[in-house]
């Protein structure tokens, strides 16, 4: 029998030096830890990292992310920042095992953040059996997927950009494209969806719902 989720949820966002997920460097990483049962914020992390190849950092990326080039060049080495982030995540792995690893969450993480996270795990750890060992390997939560399922049959929004969703749901857009702002807003949206699912799930009958087709 399935059990209630006990794995912490880590909602995160990355600000990077370009849009190319296979090569870009992380300039800022932010995350909040969400308690799996009461859905409250229990911890947070935010740090900037110095790029190892500053000549490849795009001016447009810095403009969008509101990051000054001189400022970012004075930040800590990415290995140190990554190790600090790993310690943050591992604090929320309550049995220190792969089965209790936190569930990663974010906005459009499947298409961008997850490949970068995996690449940094391969470079700095933890990495084993040809895969990252930091987050749950069987469950990820992409809020963009939830927004799509909720809006795909309606015209209530013009697009699914995070700023559009913020305006729709009444979240302020000031300070967007800063990793900690984007992370906290995404986490709030995620929590709202999880609460909706919890409320509606007992009302919808799935058990034997196809039995009449047999």
């Amino acid at each position: 029998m399935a059990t209630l989720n006990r794995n912490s949820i880590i909602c995160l966002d990355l600000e990077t030096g370009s849009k190319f997920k296979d090569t870009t460097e992380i300039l800022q990483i932010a995350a909040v830890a969400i308690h799996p049962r009461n859905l409250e914020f229990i911890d947070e992390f935010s740090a900037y990292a110095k790029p190892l190849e500053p000549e490849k950092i795009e001016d447009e990326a810095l403009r969008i992310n509101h990051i000054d080039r001189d400022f970012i060049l004075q930040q800590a080495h990415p290995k140190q920042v990554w190790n600090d982030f790993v310690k943050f995540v591992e604090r929320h792995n309550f049995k220190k095992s792969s089965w209790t690893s936190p569930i990663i969450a974010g906005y459009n993480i499947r298409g961008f953040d997850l490949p970068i996270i995996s690449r940094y795990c391969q470079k700095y750890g933890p990495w084993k059996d040809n895969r990252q060992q930091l987050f749950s390997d069987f469950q990820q939560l992409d809020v963009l997927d939830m927004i799509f399922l909720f809006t795909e049959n309606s015209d209530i929004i013009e697009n699914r950009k995070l700023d559009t969703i913020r305006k729709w749901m009444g979240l302020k857009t000031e300070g967007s494209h800063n990793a900690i702002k984007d992370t906290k807003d995404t986490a709030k949206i995620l929590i709202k969806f999880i609460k909706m699912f919890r409320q509606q799930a007992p009302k919808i009958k799935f058990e034997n719902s196809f039995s009449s087709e047999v």
Side-chain angles (χ1 to χ4, degrees):
M1 179 179 292
T3 58
L4 296 174
N5 174 50
R6 302 294 180 186
N7 295 49
S8 296
I9 300 169
I10 303 289
C11 188
L12 60 78
D13 184 60
L14 308 176
E15 304 300 351
T16 62
S18 78
K19 61 183 179 181
F20 302 108
K21 63 180 182 294
D22 294 331
T23 57
T24 192
E25 294 189 73
I26 296 174
L27 303 183
Q28 184 188 14
I29 183 167
V32 293
I34 302 170
H35 191 281
R37 303 315 312 146
N38 63 30
L39 300 178
E40 294 179 352
F41 291 2
I42 54 176
D43 202 358
E44 68 177 71
F45 178 91
S46 181
Y48 290 92
K50 175 176 65 178
L52 298 182
E53 298 181 292
E55 70 279 2
K56 295 183 179 180
I57 302 303
E58 298 176 356
D59 290 337
E60 179 65 9
L62 295 175
R63 184 190 68 79
I64 292 172
N65 298 331
H66 309 293
I67 296 174
D68 179 77
R69 186 176 289 273
D70 290 337
F71 168 82
I72 202 65
L73 293 177
Q74 297 172 17
Q75 301 309 302
H77 190 283
K79 183 177 182 179
Q80 177 185 332
V81 174
W82 184 257
N83 288 342
D84 290 342
F85 174 67
V86 168
K87 291 176 183 177
F88 164 80
V89 175
E90 290 180 341
R91 280 206 304 269
H92 301 285
N93 184 336
F94 64 95
K95 286 190 177 180
K96 310 304 179 187
S97 73
S98 59
W99 294 107
T100 57
S101 296
I103 297 169
I104 191 172
Y107 203 89
N108 191 30
I109 58 171
R110 296 188 194 282
F112 191 73
D113 302 76
L114 279 175
I116 298 173
I117 292 291
S118 182
R119 179 159 55 84
Y120 269 67
C121 280
Q122 186 173 15
K123 185 173 184 178
Y124 297 124
W127 182 266
K128 184 180 179 182
D129 298 329
N130 203 35
R131 62 182 181 84
Q132 62 87 19
Q133 301 289 315
L134 188 57
F135 293 101
S136 170
D137 193 44
F138 64 88
Q139 183 67 66
Q140 299 86 36
L141 298 173
D142 195 324
V143 177
L144 180 59
D145 294 341
M146 300 177 188
I147 295 291
F148 175 81
L149 291 173
F150 195 80
T151 63
E152 58 85 24
N153 194 42
S154 74
D155 58 0
I156 55 178
I157 55 173
E158 60 184 32
N159 59 55
R160 298 183 181 90
K161 295 178 180 179
L162 182 54
D163 273 346
T164 301
I165 303 306
R166 270 194 269 245
K167 293 176 183 177
W168 175 48
M169 300 185 76
L171 291 167
K172 294 180 180 179
T173 58
E174 289 82 6
S176 63
H177 297 291
N178 176 279
I180 193 64
K181 160 71 172 172
D182 290 353
T183 294
K184 288 184 175 180
D185 285 352
T186 299
K188 290 175 183 177
I189 298 169
L190 171 63
I191 289 169
K192 190 170 185 66
F193 271 99
I194 294 176
K195 287 181 176 179
M196 179 192 71
F197 293 141
R198 288 183 181 181
Q199 183 181 43
Q200 295 301 317
K203 302 176 183 179
I204 302 173
K205 179 178 172 57
F206 279 100
E207 186 176 2
N208 296 321
S209 57
F210 295 109
S211 58
S212 61
E213 298 183 10
V214 178

